[in-house]
Amino acid sequence: MIDLSIIRLKGVSKKYPPDNLALRGLDMDVRKGEFVFLTGASGSGKSTLLKLLYCAERPTSGQIIVDGLDLSTLSPSQIPFLRRKVSVIFQDFKLLSSKTVFENVSISLEVLGLKRTQIEKRVRQVLEGVGLSGKLGHTPLELSGGEQQRVAIARAVVNRPPIILADEPTGNLDSDRTDEVLLLMEELNARGATIIFATHDERLYKNTHRRVFRLSDGRIEVTGP
Amino acid sequence: MTLPSLLKRALADLWNDLGTHMLTTVVIFLSALIFSFFSLIYFNLQNFVEHFGTELGLVIYLNKATPQDRIPALYQKLAGLEGVQAVVYISPDAAFKRLASYLKDEKDVLKGVDPKFLPPSFELRINRAVFHLDRLKRLAEKINRWPEVTKVQYGQEWLNKLKRFSVLLRAVVLISGLLLVLSSAFVVSNTIKLTVYAREQEMEILRLVGATNGFIQGPFLIEAFFQGLLGSGLALAFLYAGYRYVETLMGASCLLKGVNISFLPWTFIGIILFGSIFLCVSGTALAMRRFLRL
Ligand SMILES: Nc1ncnc2c1ncn2[C@@H]1O[C@H](COP(=O)(O)OP(=O)(O)OP(=O)(O)O)[C@@H](O)[C@H]1O
Ligand SMILES: [Mg+2]
């Protein structure tokens, strides 16, 4: 059988000191180009699992492989290169309020050392894609919550990462905005990105044909095809 | 990631947060100004003491009956003594002329006085006399035993005071200089910490989108370099302007006309510039360490 998984966890446990066992021996596989939901009650470990995938936390035990990189042996100097493959969208946006929308998004390309003209072109393109071409020079504080979230999404996708992790990206949005964000993620997935969408909004995955991973008591169970 | 691009980002950062950066620069400016001002005073006092010290010497009065042909032999004997830099013979006639010129308009009082009424004398200049007062004293005692010599003069009391003062000055300057360096290092490093911590969020986001440590650190270090250079450079320029002003004031005053002052030596200027830059750059690197997880 050909191994198509782009993310693979084997027996992954995470213990926060002193002895909060957030994840207990998880096994999980996500295939290249797949769109999966990650759900579970508050405190069940969704954010923790995602943090392990972009190396903001290290597992206590177990093996994690992301796009061919073994995270248990990844050196700190390699983390930036993992992060260029794995983009994260946060519930609290994590935008810089002192910078403009354009600057917030262009950060992702600046770290790659792209040329100014190239950055300009791609940022404009992406911001147009999320319907924010009119707000380039605004600062995040001048935007609505939904607009801010779309800036955060634009920042996460402008460098065309193969993997996108969304940690409750709709947690602060009303249902119309939520649907917009979901649609955006579907589009990105259609263009080839692998997506893990963490949410406790049951409405989003109730009628889905996609796999849903559910965390509870530090263990994971999967439903769907 | 190239140097021009890092420079560009550093300049943009400086421009975007002029207030915070100015605060650091002002703190460095003030620290460097206080320190260099202090050093300037120290150097000039030191110069003054040293200069004065080298001009000090002995005056040896000879017996009036000393025959003229003994003079060259005495001259040789004195010049051969250890530590003696120069020997000048003052004949009774020369001494008389000197006295007359001191008296200027009142030289009439010397009318009718025998031009040879003053004793012949030697003036000795001693190498760095102020730093070897014991030697000076021993020398004086030795010469005093010579049969031709009636009196050896030197401002012993005054010299002792000067010596004690210069030792004290050196101690005070060294101790307070050290305290000054420590306290300004403390203030500067805390100011720098503030500027770094103020951008904690930015660094976190940069890390999350895959910036390398060099990319994050580069502009900060360049900014720190410029702040150190600007702050200490301005301080030195300020001090120099003040120095020139004092110099002209002294030139205009007859009392201080003869006193020479000088600016800080070049090596010291280099040390102040380099020290400030080093303080800023290393302080920034240190403050950033916890955000970079090296
Ligand atoms: N940095 C941390 N230090 C210690 N414990 C932590 C830390 N982060 C999370 N935890 C604990 O780990 C468990 C899982 O937390 P996590 O944030 O992953 O949950 P979550 O599923 O994302 O919750 P939510 O839906 O509220 O975001 C919780 O019990 C939490 O208290
Ligand atoms: Mg969470």
Side-chain angles (χ1 to χ4, degrees):
Chain A
M1 200 185 110
I2 313 161
D3 184 9
L4 289 174
S5 65
I6 194 169
I7 294 169
R8 163 167 289 175
L9 289 82
K10 269 193 214 149
V12 171
S13 296
K14 176 66 190 177
K15 184 177 181 176
Y16 285 113
D19 54 5
N20 183 356
L21 205 53
L23 303 175
R24 314 168 181 239
L26 295 194
D27 293 319
M28 181 179 178
D29 260 297
V30 179
R31 292 186 287 273
K32 202 167 196 149
E34 200 182 353
F35 186 136
V36 301
F37 288 100
L38 178 65
T39 183
S42 181
S44 59
K46 300 183 293 293
S47 298
T48 301
L49 177 56
L50 296 182
K51 278 180 189 163
L52 292 178
L53 296 180
Y54 61 90
C55 239
E57 294 283 355
R58 297 274 190 166
T60 313
S61 63
Q63 194 189 35
I64 304 174
I65 297 188
V66 175
D67 200 18
L69 292 171
D70 186 344
L71 301 197
S72 46
T73 59
L74 199 71
S75 76
S77 63
Q78 286 176 292
I79 292 179
F81 303 99
L82 170 76
R83 301 251 170 99
R84 293 173 191 184
K85 295 182 179 194
V86 182
S87 278
V88 191
I89 301 165
F90 301 93
Q91 181 175 357
D92 60 353
F93 316 139
K94 291 202 197 295
L95 298 176
L96 286 167
S97 49
S98 60
K99 304 221 182 239
T100 63
V101 167
F102 180 90
E103 288 165 339
N104 267 287
V105 175
S106 63
I107 270 186
S108 292
L109 296 178
E110 274 166 19
V111 302
L112 300 178
L114 259 60
K115 284 216 180 67
R116 200 68 229 165
T117 49
Q118 225 172 340
I119 292 177
E120 191 124 341
K121 198 174 127 214
R122 267 166 78 172
V123 171
R124 282 176 189 282
Q125 209 172 25
V126 166
L127 282 172
E128 196 171 328
V130 297
L132 285 174
S133 12
K135 311 260 174 170
L136 255 56
H138 289 56
T139 63
L141 293 178
E142 298 164 346
L143 304 180
S144 73
E147 287 169 332
Q148 289 181 38
Q149 187 59 291
R150 280 183 276 154
V151 176
I153 293 172
R155 183 185 63 200
V157 305
V158 72
N159 59 343
R160 298 175 194 151
I163 299 166
I164 298 169
L165 308 177
D167 193 358
E168 305 202 39
T170 58
N172 283 326
L173 307 180
D174 64 28
S175 63
D176 281 357
R177 305 282 149 235
T178 298
D179 290 344
E180 268 177 31
V181 168
L182 190 60
L183 205 65
L184 259 171
M185 305 304 287
E186 302 268 10
E187 268 176 42
L188 290 165
N189 176 241
R191 282 193 237 152
T194 305
I195 294 176
I196 299 184
F197 195 115
T199 180
H200 49 213
D201 187 350
E202 205 180 313
R203 197 177 62 87
L204 291 181
Y205 55 85
K206 200 167 55 190
N207 297 315
T208 189
H209 59 283
R210 306 186 183 283
R211 292 202 293 162
V212 178
F213 290 88
R214 187 183 306 275
L215 277 168
S216 71
D217 279 337
R219 296 180 197 286
I220 206 162
E221 62 186 53
V222 60
T223 56
Chain B
M1 193 169 59
T2 56
L3 193 63
S5 78
L6 286 180
L7 265 172
K8 227 183 274 171
R9 280 173 54 219
L11 284 178
D13 286 344
L14 283 175
W15 183 245
N16 283 337
D17 194 359
L18 218 52
T20 322
H21 287 109
M22 235 145 71
L23 177 70
T24 316
T25 309
V26 165
V27 167
I28 290 158
F29 168 76
L30 289 176
S31 307
L33 186 62
I34 294 168
F35 183 70
S36 54
F37 174 70
F38 207 68
S39 310
L40 183 66
I41 290 187
Y42 172 70
F43 272 111
N44 277 291
L45 279 175
Q46 185 82 4
N47 274 349
F48 180 72
V49 167
E50 239 169 81
H51 182 68
F52 217 84
T54 49
E55 298 221 320
L56 279 168
L58 301 175
V59 182
I60 296 150
Y61 295 101
L62 301 178
N63 195 327
K64 267 193 217 173
T66 310
Q68 191 67 27
D69 56 2
R70 279 292 293 148
I71 300 301
L74 281 171
Y75 184 96
Q76 291 302 328
K77 215 168 145 189
L78 287 169
L81 289 168
E82 195 202 335
V84 173
Q85 211 172 31
V87 182
V88 179
Y89 173 66
I90 314 281
S91 68
D93 290 323
F96 187 81
K97 269 188 206 135
R98 215 196 252 180
L99 181 61
S101 79
Y102 279 143
L103 292 174
K104 277 184 189 155
D105 301 338
E106 285 119 282
K107 63 170 170 262
D108 292 349
V109 295
L110 293 174
K111 238 178 210 158
V113 176
D114 177 10
K116 296 215 185 306
F117 89 100
L118 287 165
S121 63
F122 281 106
E123 285 178 6
L124 253 58
R125 191 126 57 77
I126 310 293
N127 216 353
R128 294 168 60 80
V130 72
F131 301 111
H132 307 285
L133 285 182
D134 305 338
R135 200 204 281 171
L136 199 66
K137 198 177 166 195
R138 260 183 281 120
L139 205 62
E141 280 163 2
K142 186 172 160 190
I143 296 169
N144 208 10
R145 283 197 294 271
W146 296 359
E148 295 90 347
V149 174
T150 52
K151 193 178 167 197
V152 178
Q153 214 178 41
Y154 71 104
Q156 188 181 15
E157 223 170 277
W158 198 88
L159 273 178
N160 275 329
K161 268 188 204 151
L162 189 65
K163 186 190 176 188
R164 255 180 275 133
F165 174 70
S166 81
V167 169
L168 186 74
L169 180 73
R170 219 179 280 197
V172 166
V173 160
L174 284 180
I175 292 170
S176 38
L178 196 71
L179 290 178
L180 199 60
V181 166
L182 286 179
S183 66
S184 32
F186 180 75
V187 172
V188 167
S189 72
N190 274 301
T191 317
I192 283 173
K193 249 187 229 165
L194 283 182
T195 53
V196 170
Y197 289 6
R199 288 167 64 189
E200 183 176 357
Q201 203 198 4
E202 186 183 341
M203 287 188 275
E204 188 202 345
I205 289 169
L206 280 171
R207 272 160 45 85
L208 285 172
V209 299
T212 57
N213 282 341
F215 185 92
I216 299 173
Q217 229 176 354
F220 278 90
L221 296 182
I222 292 172
E223 284 157 44
F225 178 89
F226 281 129
Q227 284 173 330
L229 187 67
L230 190 70
S232 55
L234 278 179
L236 287 167
F238 228 74
L239 189 70
Y240 187 70
Y243 161 80
R244 290 306 295 265
Y245 180 68
V246 169
E247 208 179 33
T248 46
L249 280 189
M250 283 173 75
S253 135
C254 4
L255 190 67
L256 297 169
K257 214 165 206 157
V259 181
N260 273 319
I261 57 171
S262 57
F263 197 60
L264 295 170
W266 277 110
T267 42
F268 202 78
I269 291 175
I271 288 173
I272 289 180
L273 286 175
F274 179 81
S276 307
I277 292 170
F278 177 79
L279 193 63
C280 290
V281 173
S282 61
T284 302
L286 222 61
M288 290 189 81
R289 237 179 23 178
R290 54 176 281 202
F291 298 111
L292 295 175
R293 290 197 201 149
L294 294 164

